[in-house]
């Protein structure tokens, strides 16, 4: 398949198109926002440097968008706020993957979202959440937080600590249902953590392990010893898998990845993973078409 044909079909089959109207009320602070675009379309380019397969995309850590606001230092895997790369808009319905560090006592004031599934995974420190539904909570390493923005919600996020940074992943996923009733949830995943295999932290099913969202997506975390090997079997036909290395080095489907590298793969039912050092990996299985 040539580049033109690939772009026409995209990674997404029928594709994901979102108008500015569909995005609704996004925040206007030039930090926590989506760039206003007429179309989010077929934009991921194949991993032309890969010798393994034609169905992959590689995002090296040092190619991410870099936004340093002094109190906030954020690395954007996909286009976000003032970082815009038309070839890095989303991976299927995975729209935002921000790697954030917030200074002590600082944070995001009240701002609106709608029609987006927003997942926060703390990596270090404590993050305080408040929202227009009356929720007040603190999430920390070992927790996962989810917010279905639905018809509209306001929330704030602040570093609870007065003397240390907080580091967390903020992930946005397009929902499969619009205008749902907003909701908030958080859980501890400490009791389900396993060594040298992936364990589920998010799914579409309210009664399944982890938090749930309005989308046919499954998130897994894995902490691996050096030389550990495992594999992941796709949950739903037509989905893709996006691997994000939190620490260490791994090999995914023959592709070597280092800390904070991202690697997407589609048209694959099973993927083998080998840990090249002590490592930790976030795996996100998401639909490639709306």
């Amino acid at each position: 398949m040539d580049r033109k044909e690939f772009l026409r079909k995209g990674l997404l089959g029928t594709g994901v198109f979102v108008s500015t109207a569909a995005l609704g009320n996004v925040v206007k602070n030039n930090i926590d926002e989506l760039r206003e675009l007429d179309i989010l379309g077929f934009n991921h380019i194949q991993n032309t440097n890969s010798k393994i397969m034609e169905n992959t995309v590689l995002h090296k850590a040092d190619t991410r968008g870099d936004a340093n606001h002094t109190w906030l230092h954020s690395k954007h895997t996909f286009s976000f706020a003032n970082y815009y790369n038309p070839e890095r808009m989303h991976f299927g319905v995975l729209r935002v993957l921000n790697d954030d560090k917030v200074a002590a006592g600082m944070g995001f004031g009240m701002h609106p979202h709608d029609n987006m599934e927003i997942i926060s995974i703390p990596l270090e420190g404590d993050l305080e959440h408040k929202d227009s539904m009356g929720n007040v909570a603190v999430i920390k390493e070992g927790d996962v937080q989810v917010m279905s923005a639905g018809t509209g919600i306001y929330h704030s996020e602040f570093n609870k600590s007065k003397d240390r940074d907080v580091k967390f992943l903020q992930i946005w996923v397009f929902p499969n249902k619009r205008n749902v009733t907003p909701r908030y949830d958080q859980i501890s995943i400490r009791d389900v953590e396993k060594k040298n295999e992936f364990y589920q932290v998010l799914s579409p099913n309210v009664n399944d392990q982890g938090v749930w969202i309005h989308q046919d997506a499954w998130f897994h975390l894995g902490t691996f010893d050096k030389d550990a090997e495992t594999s992941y079997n796709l949950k739903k036909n037509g989905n893709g898998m996006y691997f994000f290395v939190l620490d260490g080095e791994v090999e995914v489907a023959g592709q070597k990845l280092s800390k904070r590298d991202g690697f997407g793969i589609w048209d694959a039912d099973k993927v083998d993973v080998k840990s090249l050092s002590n490592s930790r990996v976030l795996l996100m299985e998401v639909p490639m078409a709306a």
Side-chain angles (χ1 to χ4, degrees):
M1 182 186 301
D2 62 23
R3 177 186 172 94
K4 183 177 180 181
E5 178 68 5
F6 179 77
L7 288 173
R8 186 181 70 79
K9 291 185 176 180
L11 300 189
L12 313 177
T14 58
V16 173
F17 292 89
V18 180
S19 69
T20 54
L23 291 176
N25 292 324
V26 294
V27 70
K28 301 297 182 183
N29 61 8
N30 293 323
I31 295 177
D32 186 13
E33 71 175 44
L34 293 177
R35 181 186 175 97
E36 291 191 358
L37 299 172
D38 291 331
I39 293 178
L40 306 181
F42 307 136
N43 44 64
H44 272 308
I45 305 304
Q46 289 166 300
N47 180 15
T48 55
N49 294 324
S50 174
K51 305 299 181 183
I52 305 110
M53 291 177 284
E54 295 181 354
N55 56 327
T56 64
V57 61
L58 175 64
H59 297 140
K60 296 296 290 181
D62 60 2
T63 66
R64 295 177 295 169
D66 189 348
N68 193 340
H69 304 279
T70 307
W71 65 271
L72 166 68
H73 191 185
S74 184
K75 296 280 191 175
H76 308 315
T77 294
F78 304 106
S79 295
F80 191 87
N82 293 325
Y83 167 61
Y84 173 62
N85 182 338
E87 294 182 355
R88 291 177 67 159
M89 295 304 304
H90 53 85
F91 179 81
V93 300
L94 175 61
R95 175 61 186 89
V96 170
L97 175 54
N98 287 350
D99 185 1
D100 290 346
K101 179 173 71 173
V102 177
M106 303 299 289
F108 305 89
M110 279 287 180
H111 57 279
H113 295 285
D114 68 10
N115 288 313
M116 192 69 72
E117 303 294 302
I118 301 173
I119 302 101
S120 295
I121 302 177
L123 304 176
E124 294 180 22
D126 299 339
L127 187 69
E128 184 176 47
H129 166 97
K130 296 181 181 179
D131 64 45
S132 54
M133 295 182 290
N135 296 300
V136 179
V138 175
I139 58 171
K140 56 190 67 180
E141 182 182 1
D143 295 340
V144 175
Q145 176 200 81
V146 65
M147 186 171 66
S148 297
T151 54
I153 189 172
Y154 283 79
H155 79 128
S156 65
E157 298 164 303
F158 276 86
N159 185 346
K160 183 72 171 175
S161 173
K162 302 302 181 184
D163 57 9
R164 61 178 295 202
D165 295 338
V166 63
K167 300 177 182 178
F168 68 103
L169 301 181
Q170 184 171 129
I171 303 164
W172 296 9
V173 174
F174 290 123
N176 57 15
K177 296 179 181 178
R178 289 181 51 79
N179 298 320
V180 300
T181 300
R183 68 180 186 89
Y184 173 89
D185 192 18
Q186 72 177 72
I187 64 164
S188 170
I189 56 175
R190 296 173 186 85
D191 293 340
V192 301
E193 184 175 357
K194 299 177 182 178
K195 199 69 178 291
N196 295 321
E197 62 180 285
F198 286 111
Y199 57 95
Q200 182 177 291
V201 298
L202 177 148
S203 80
N205 306 310
V206 65
N207 295 319
D208 213 347
Q209 179 173 292
V211 294
W212 68 277
I213 62 172
H214 295 282
Q215 187 53 268
D216 292 327
W218 287 262
F219 286 13
H220 290 73
L221 284 166
T223 301
F224 302 98
D225 295 325
K226 185 178 185 296
D227 296 326
E229 297 186 25
T230 189
S231 59
Y232 179 80
N233 294 297
L234 196 72
K235 300 285 188 183
K236 183 175 181 180
N237 187 42
N239 280 2
M241 293 162 276
Y242 194 89
F243 294 82
F244 187 69
V245 182
L246 298 174
D247 288 296
E249 293 186 336
V250 298
E251 186 178 276
V252 177
Q255 175 70 56
K256 183 178 179 180
L257 303 172
S258 300
K259 183 176 180 178
R260 296 315 204 255
D261 287 350
F263 183 65
I265 182 168
W266 60 100
D267 290 341
D269 296 326
K270 179 181 177 181
V271 174
D272 294 325
V273 178
K274 180 178 181 180
S275 184
L276 305 179
S277 68
N278 292 339
S279 62
R280 193 176 186 213
V281 180
L282 172 63
L283 164 57
M284 294 167 281
E285 176 184 332
V286 296
M288 300 305 292

Coordinates of all heavy atoms in Angstrom, one line a residue, residues 10-52:
G10 N -6.2 5.4 6.2 CA -5.8 5.7 7.5 C -5.4 4.4 8.3 O -5.4 3.3 7.8
L11 N -5.1 4.6 9.6 CA -5.0 3.4 10.4 C -6.4 3.0 10.8 O -6.6 2.0 11.5 CB -4.3 3.8 11.7 CG -2.9 4.3 11.6 CD1 -2.3 4.4 13.0 CD2 -2.1 3.4 10.8
L12 N -7.4 3.8 10.5 CA -8.7 3.7 11.2 C -9.8 3.0 10.4 O -10.9 3.1 10.8 CB -9.1 5.1 11.6 CG -8.0 6.0 12.2 CD1 -8.5 7.4 12.4 CD2 -7.5 5.3 13.4
G13 N -9.5 2.4 9.3 CA -10.6 1.8 8.6 C -11.5 2.9 8.0 O -11.2 3.6 7.0
T14 N -12.7 3.1 8.6 CA -13.6 4.1 8.1 C -13.1 5.5 8.6 O -13.6 6.5 8.1 CB -15.0 3.9 8.7 OG1 -14.9 3.8 10.1 CG2 -15.5 2.6 8.1
G15 N -12.2 5.5 9.6 CA -11.7 6.8 10.1 C -12.4 7.4 11.2 O -13.6 7.1 11.5
V16 N -11.8 8.4 11.9 CA -12.4 9.1 12.9 C -12.3 10.6 12.5 O -11.3 11.1 12.3 CB -11.6 9.0 14.3 CG1 -12.1 9.9 15.3 CG2 -11.6 7.5 14.7
F17 N -13.5 11.2 12.4 CA -13.6 12.6 12.0 C -14.3 13.3 13.1 O -15.4 12.9 13.6 CB -14.4 12.7 10.7 CG -13.7 12.2 9.5 CD1 -13.9 10.9 9.2 CD2 -12.9 13.0 8.8 CE1 -13.2 10.4 8.1 CE2 -12.2 12.5 7.7 CZ -12.4 11.2 7.3
V18 N -13.7 14.4 13.6 CA -14.3 15.2 14.7 C -14.3 16.6 14.3 O -13.2 17.2 14.0 CB -13.5 14.9 16.0 CG1 -14.1 15.7 17.1 CG2 -13.5 13.5 16.3
S19 N -15.4 17.3 14.3 CA -15.5 18.7 14.1 C -15.2 19.5 15.4 O -15.3 18.9 16.5 CB -16.8 19.1 13.5 OG -17.8 18.9 14.5
T20 N -15.0 20.7 15.3 CA -14.8 21.5 16.5 C -16.1 21.6 17.3 O -16.0 21.6 18.5 CB -14.4 23.0 16.1 OG1 -15.4 23.5 15.2 CG2 -13.0 23.0 15.5
A21 N -17.2 21.5 16.6 CA -18.5 21.5 17.3 C -18.6 20.2 18.2 O -19.1 20.3 19.3 CB -19.6 21.6 16.4
A22 N -18.1 19.1 17.6 CA -18.2 17.9 18.3 C -17.3 17.9 19.6 O -17.6 17.2 20.6 CB -17.8 16.7 17.4
L23 N -16.3 18.7 19.6 CA -15.4 18.7 20.7 C -16.0 19.5 21.9 O -15.6 19.3 23.0 CB -14.0 19.3 20.4 CG -13.2 18.5 19.4 CD1 -11.9 19.2 19.0 CD2 -12.8 17.1 20.1
G24 N -16.9 20.3 21.6 CA -17.6 21.1 22.6 C -16.7 22.0 23.4 O -15.9 22.6 22.8
N25 N -17.0 22.2 24.7 CA -16.2 23.2 25.4 C -14.9 22.6 25.9 O -14.8 21.9 26.8 CB -17.0 23.5 26.7 CG -18.3 24.2 26.4 OD1 -18.3 25.0 25.5 ND2 -19.4 24.0 27.1
V26 N -13.9 23.0 25.1 CA -12.5 22.7 25.5 C -12.0 23.9 26.2 O -12.4 25.0 25.9 CB -11.6 22.2 24.3 CG1 -12.1 20.9 23.8 CG2 -11.6 23.3 23.3
V27 N -11.0 23.7 27.1 CA -10.5 24.8 27.9 C -9.7 25.7 27.0 O -9.1 25.3 26.0 CB -9.6 24.2 29.0 CG1 -8.4 23.6 28.5 CG2 -9.4 25.3 30.1
K28 N -9.7 27.0 27.3 CA -9.0 28.0 26.5 C -7.8 28.6 27.2 O -7.7 29.8 27.2 CB -10.0 29.1 26.1 CG -11.3 28.6 25.4 CD -10.9 27.9 24.0 CE -12.1 27.5 23.3 NZ -11.8 26.8 22.0
N29 N -7.0 27.8 27.8 CA -5.9 28.3 28.6 C -4.5 28.0 27.9 O -3.5 28.3 28.5 CB -5.8 27.8 30.0 CG -5.7 26.3 30.1 OD1 -5.5 25.7 29.1 ND2 -5.9 25.8 31.3
N30 N -4.6 27.5 26.7 CA -3.4 27.2 25.9 C -2.5 26.1 26.5 O -1.4 26.0 26.1 CB -2.6 28.4 25.6 CG -3.3 29.4 24.7 OD1 -4.0 28.9 23.7 ND2 -3.2 30.7 24.9
I31 N -3.0 25.5 27.6 CA -2.2 24.4 28.2 C -3.0 23.1 28.2 O -2.5 22.2 27.5 CB -1.9 24.8 29.7 CG1 -1.0 26.0 29.7 CG2 -1.2 23.7 30.4 CD1 -0.7 26.5 31.1
D32 N -4.1 23.1 28.8 CA -4.9 21.8 28.9 C -6.0 21.9 27.8 O -7.2 22.0 28.1 CB -5.5 21.7 30.3 CG -6.2 20.3 30.4 OD1 -6.0 19.5 29.6 OD2 -6.9 20.2 31.4
E33 N -5.6 21.8 26.5 CA -6.6 22.0 25.5 C -6.3 21.2 24.2 O -5.1 20.9 24.0 CB -6.9 23.4 25.2 CG -5.7 24.1 24.4 CD -6.1 25.5 24.0 OE1 -6.6 26.2 24.8 OE2 -5.8 25.8 22.8
L34 N -7.3 20.9 23.4 CA -7.1 20.4 22.1 C -7.1 21.6 21.1 O -7.9 22.5 21.3 CB -8.3 19.5 21.7 CG -8.4 18.2 22.5 CD1 -9.6 17.5 22.0 CD2 -7.2 17.3 22.3
R35 N -6.2 21.6 20.2 CA -6.1 22.6 19.2 C -7.4 22.5 18.4 O -7.9 21.4 18.0 CB -4.9 22.3 18.2 CG -4.8 23.3 17.1 CD -3.6 22.9 16.2 NE -3.5 23.7 15.0 CZ -2.7 24.8 14.9 NH1 -1.9 25.0 16.0 NH2 -2.6 25.5 13.8
E36 N -8.0 23.6 18.0 CA -9.3 23.6 17.3 C -9.0 23.3 15.8 O -8.3 24.0 15.1 CB -10.0 24.9 17.4 CG -10.5 25.2 18.8 CD -11.4 26.4 18.8 OE1 -11.6 27.1 17.8 OE2 -11.9 26.7 19.9
L37 N -9.5 22.1 15.4 CA -9.3 21.6 14.0 C -10.6 21.4 13.4 O -11.6 21.0 14.1 CB -8.5 20.4 14.1 CG -7.1 20.5 14.7 CD1 -6.5 19.1 14.8 CD2 -6.2 21.3 13.8
D38 N -10.7 21.5 12.1 CA -11.9 21.2 11.4 C -12.1 19.7 11.3 O -13.2 19.1 11.4 CB -11.9 21.8 10.0 CG -12.1 23.3 10.0 OD1 -12.7 23.8 11.0 OD2 -11.5 24.0 9.1
I39 N -11.0 19.0 11.1 CA -11.0 17.5 11.0 C -9.8 16.9 11.7 O -8.7 17.4 11.6 CB -11.0 17.1 9.5 CG1 -12.3 17.6 8.8 CG2 -10.8 15.6 9.4 CD1 -12.3 17.2 7.3
L40 N -10.1 15.9 12.4 CA -9.0 15.0 12.9 C -9.2 13.8 12.1 O -10.1 13.0 12.3 CB -9.2 14.7 14.4 CG -9.3 15.8 15.4 CD1 -9.5 15.3 16.8 CD2 -8.1 16.7 15.3
G41 N -8.3 13.5 11.1 CA -8.6 12.5 10.2 C -7.5 11.4 10.1 O -6.9 11.0 11.1
F42 N -7.1 11.0 8.9 CA -6.2 10.0 8.7 C -4.8 10.6 8.8 O -4.4 11.3 7.8 CB -6.4 9.4 7.3 CG -7.8 8.9 7.1 CD1 -8.4 9.1 5.9 CD2 -8.4 8.2 8.1 CE1 -9.7 8.7 5.6 CE2 -9.7 7.7 7.8 CZ -10.3 8.0 6.6
N43 N -4.1 10.4 9.8 CA -2.9 11.2 10.0 C -1.7 10.4 10.5 O -0.6 11.0 10.3 CB -3.2 12.3 11.0 CG -3.9 11.8 12.2 OD1 -3.5 11.0 12.9 ND2 -5.2 12.3 12.4
H44 N -1.8 9.3 11.0 CA -0.6 8.5 11.4 C 0.1 7.9 10.2 O -0.5 7.4 9.3 CB -1.0 7.4 12.4 CG -1.0 7.8 13.8 ND1 0.0 8.5 14.4 CD2 -2.0 7.7 14.7 CE1 -0.3 8.8 15.6 NE2 -1.5 8.3 15.9
I45 N 1.4 8.1 10.2 CA 2.2 7.6 9.1 C 2.9 6.3 9.6 O 3.3 6.2 10.7 CB 3.3 8.7 8.7 CG1 2.6 10.0 8.4 CG2 4.1 8.2 7.6 CD1 1.6 9.9 7.3
Q46 N 2.9 5.4 8.6 CA 3.5 4.1 8.9 C 5.0 4.3 9.4 O 5.7 5.2 9.1 CB 3.5 3.2 7.7 CG 2.1 2.7 7.4 CD 2.1 2.1 6.0 OE1 2.4 2.8 5.0 NE2 1.7 0.9 5.9
N47 N 5.4 3.3 10.2 CA 6.7 3.3 10.7 C 7.7 2.8 9.6 O 8.1 1.7 9.5 CB 6.8 2.3 11.9 CG 8.2 2.2 12.5 OD1 9.0 3.1 12.3 ND2 8.4 1.2 13.3
T48 N 8.1 3.8 8.8 CA 8.9 3.5 7.6 C 10.3 3.0 8.0 O 11.0 2.4 7.2 CB 9.1 4.7 6.7 OG1 9.5 5.8 7.5 CG2 7.7 5.1 6.1
N49 N 10.8 3.3 9.2 CA 12.1 2.8 9.7 C 12.1 1.4 10.1 O 13.1 0.8 10.4 CB 12.6 3.7 10.8 CG 12.9 5.1 10.3 OD1 13.4 5.3 9.2 ND2 12.7 6.1 11.1
S50 N 10.9 0.9 10.3 CA 10.8 -0.5 10.9 C 11.0 -1.5 9.8 O 10.5 -1.4 8.7 CB 9.4 -0.7 11.5 OG 9.2 -2.0 11.8
K51 N 11.8 -2.5 10.1 CA 12.0 -3.6 9.2 C 11.1 -4.8 9.6 O 11.3 -5.9 9.0 CB 13.5 -4.1 9.3 CG 14.5 -2.9 9.1 CD 14.4 -2.3 7.7 CE 15.4 -1.2 7.5 NZ 15.3 -0.6 6.2
I52 N 10.2 -4.6 10.5 CA 9.5 -5.8 11.0 C 8.1 -5.9 10.3 O 7.9 -6.9 9.6 CB 9.2 -5.6 12.5 CG1 10.5 -5.4 13.3 CG2 8.5 -6.8 13.1 CD1 10.7 -4.1 13.9

